[in-house]
């Protein structure tokens, strides 16, 4: 009789615990505050240590809160007991956020292996291979994705970037153009324009930036880049207009300030050249006297137009 009573009591306690866990779980799924959500899922786990759904959704909440390491711990608990594609994928995202690209690659591979139709995992796998410098592998993954989803512009853009890294510019240009066919937006033309700038096709770049601006007159970056293309094409008045427009969007845009300084210098307007170059230097380094071009290494001009910038730096800095 005593054993029967104990058994009934155990079942009753389990029933109460199970009911309480379900109630907390429902509250957690409805909660909008991430800290509250984590606390509620933690209570569920304390009552049901093997509730893998609670670990999964607590991991998502931790990830969304920026606690990527905590999210990885929760996802790893699930993978240890019952691995699945979604959990591998989510852990890969958390690892990617921590710049653990090798770990992220392994997780995305496992996610796609478990679910060959998991195209987000394939896309992320291509991206992380790109980050690791495995451009051939990234191209292979993006090509497989394009075969499955042929009209996704962002995949063409990423494959184009991988081709560019391999200096396969014809293939890259083909992908940029196919991306525009899939998504003829201001941003798409802008991206192809930047590519043209990188390979010194300034007139082609100028045309793309003009279309980008026509499609979206608030595309501030397109004004800066079109101004740069005008400058390098020797169309100085047009360059001044575009750099000035870029500054109306962001008065602290030191790259646009340098662009104006270079353009005015080419026009032999030394007063304005000195004015805008000094403004740029004051923004970049308000407490340090800039004497060498290396002190401007974080500018567009140093990183992307070094030879042109270097040819004019000494004269500009001496005004």
């Amino acid at each position: 009789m005593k054993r029967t009573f104990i058994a009934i009591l155990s079942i009753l306690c389990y029933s109460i615990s199970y009911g309480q866990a379900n109630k907390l779980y429902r509250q957690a799924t409805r909660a909008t505050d991430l800290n509250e959500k984590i606390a509620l899922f933690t209570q569920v786990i304390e009552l049901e240590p093997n509730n893998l759904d609670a670990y999964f959704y607590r991991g998502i909440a931790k990830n969304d809160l920026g606690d990527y390491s905590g999210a990885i711990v929760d996802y790893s608990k699930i993978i240890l007991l019952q691995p699945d594609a979604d959990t591998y994928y989510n852990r890969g995202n958390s690892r990617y956020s921590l710049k653990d690209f090798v770990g992220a690659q392994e997780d995305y591979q496992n996610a796609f292996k478990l679910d060959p139709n998991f195209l987000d995992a394939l896309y992320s796998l291509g991206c992380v291979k790109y980050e690791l410098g495995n451009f051939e592998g990234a191209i292979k993954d993006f090509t497989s994705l394009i075969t499955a989803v042929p009209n996704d512009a962002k995949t063409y853009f990423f494959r184009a970037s991988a081709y560019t890294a391999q200096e396969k510019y014809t293939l890259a240009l083909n992908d940029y153009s196919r991306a525009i066919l899939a998504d003829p937006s201001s941003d798409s033309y802008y991206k192809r324009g930047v590519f043209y700038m990188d390979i010194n096709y300034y007139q082609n770049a100028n045309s793309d930036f003009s279309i980008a601006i026509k499609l979206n007159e608030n595309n501030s970056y397109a004004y800066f880049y079109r101004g740069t293309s005008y400058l390098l094409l020797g169309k100085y008045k047009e360059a001044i207009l575009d750099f000035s427009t870029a500054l109306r969007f962001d008065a602290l845009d030191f790259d646009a300030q340098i662009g104006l300084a270079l353009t005015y210098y080419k026009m032999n307007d030394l007063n304005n050249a000195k004015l805008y170059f000094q403004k740029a230097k004051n923004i970049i380094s308000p407490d340090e006297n800039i004497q060498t071009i290396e002190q401007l290494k974080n500018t567009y001009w140093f990183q992307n137009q070094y030879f042109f910038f270097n040819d004019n730096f000494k004269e500009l800095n001496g005004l």
Side-chain angles (χ1 to χ4, degrees), residues 32-50:
T32 55
D33 181 82
L34 292 175
N35 286 304
E36 180 187 1
K37 190 181 286 285
I38 291 168
L40 288 167
F41 280 127
T42 299
Q43 292 180 59
V44 173
I45 291 167
E46 288 171 354
L47 293 169
E48 296 181 353
N50 290 323

Side-chain angles (χ1 to χ4, degrees), residues 84-291:
D84 67 281
D86 286 335
T87 305
Y88 271 120
Y89 176 72
N90 281 12
R91 190 173 72 173
N93 290 339
S94 295
R95 284 177 161 176
Y96 190 96
S97 296
L98 290 173
K99 299 189 183 302
D100 176 11
F101 299 133
V102 173
Q105 177 181 243
E106 180 182 348
D107 279 346
Y108 293 141
Q109 285 173 334
N110 283 324
F112 189 64
K113 183 178 180 180
L114 288 171
D115 182 1
N117 295 316
F118 199 164
L119 298 183
D120 284 342
L122 180 59
Y123 174 79
S124 297
L125 182 58
C127 291
V128 78
K129 285 180 181 178
Y130 180 89
E131 293 286 355
L132 288 168
N134 180 8
F135 303 120
E136 197 62 46
I139 289 167
K140 181 180 178 181
D141 289 337
F142 291 136
T143 300
S144 296
L145 192 58
I146 286 168
T147 301
V149 187
N151 293 316
D152 185 15
K154 72 177 184 295
T155 311
Y156 286 113
F157 282 130
F158 270 106
R159 192 173 70 173
S161 296
Y163 279 135
T164 301
Q166 293 184 321
E167 299 184 359
K168 296 179 179 179
Y169 300 126
T170 301
L171 292 172
L173 177 57
N174 183 53
D175 272 356
Y176 278 113
S177 298
R178 292 174 74 178
I180 287 173
L181 287 175
D183 176 30
S185 65
S186 175
D187 187 57
S188 294
Y189 279 101
Y190 165 77
K191 287 178 179 176
R192 190 174 69 176
V194 172
F195 167 74
Y196 275 131
M197 291 293 291
D198 289 342
I199 61 173
N200 303 326
Y201 278 46
Y202 302 129
Q203 188 59 61
N204 299 71
N206 186 277
S207 297
D208 273 354
F209 294 134
S210 294
I211 296 172
I213 290 167
K214 183 178 180 180
L215 291 171
N216 177 13
E217 62 183 11
N218 292 317
N219 190 333
S220 60
Y221 296 114
Y223 287 104
F224 168 77
Y225 275 99
R226 190 174 69 172
T228 302
S229 68
Y230 276 134
L231 168 58
L232 296 171
L233 289 167
K235 297 182 178 181
Y236 302 133
K237 291 182 180 179
E238 292 88 342
I240 287 172
L241 287 174
D242 275 350
F243 287 135
S244 299
T245 301
L247 284 173
R248 285 203 292 271
F249 285 99
D250 180 7
L252 298 179
D253 185 348
F254 50 78
D255 279 319
Q257 304 275 13
I258 294 173
L260 280 171
L262 288 165
T263 307
Y264 278 121
Y265 181 75
K266 290 296 183 182
M267 297 175 72
N268 205 34
D269 184 344
L270 302 185
N271 287 331
N272 272 320
K274 178 180 180 180
L275 171 67
Y276 283 103
F277 199 57
Q278 189 60 50
K279 284 183 177 182
K281 291 192 293 183
N282 289 341
I283 294 168
I284 295 166
S285 184
D287 301 319
E288 183 180 10
N289 186 25
I290 291 176
Q291 296 295 330

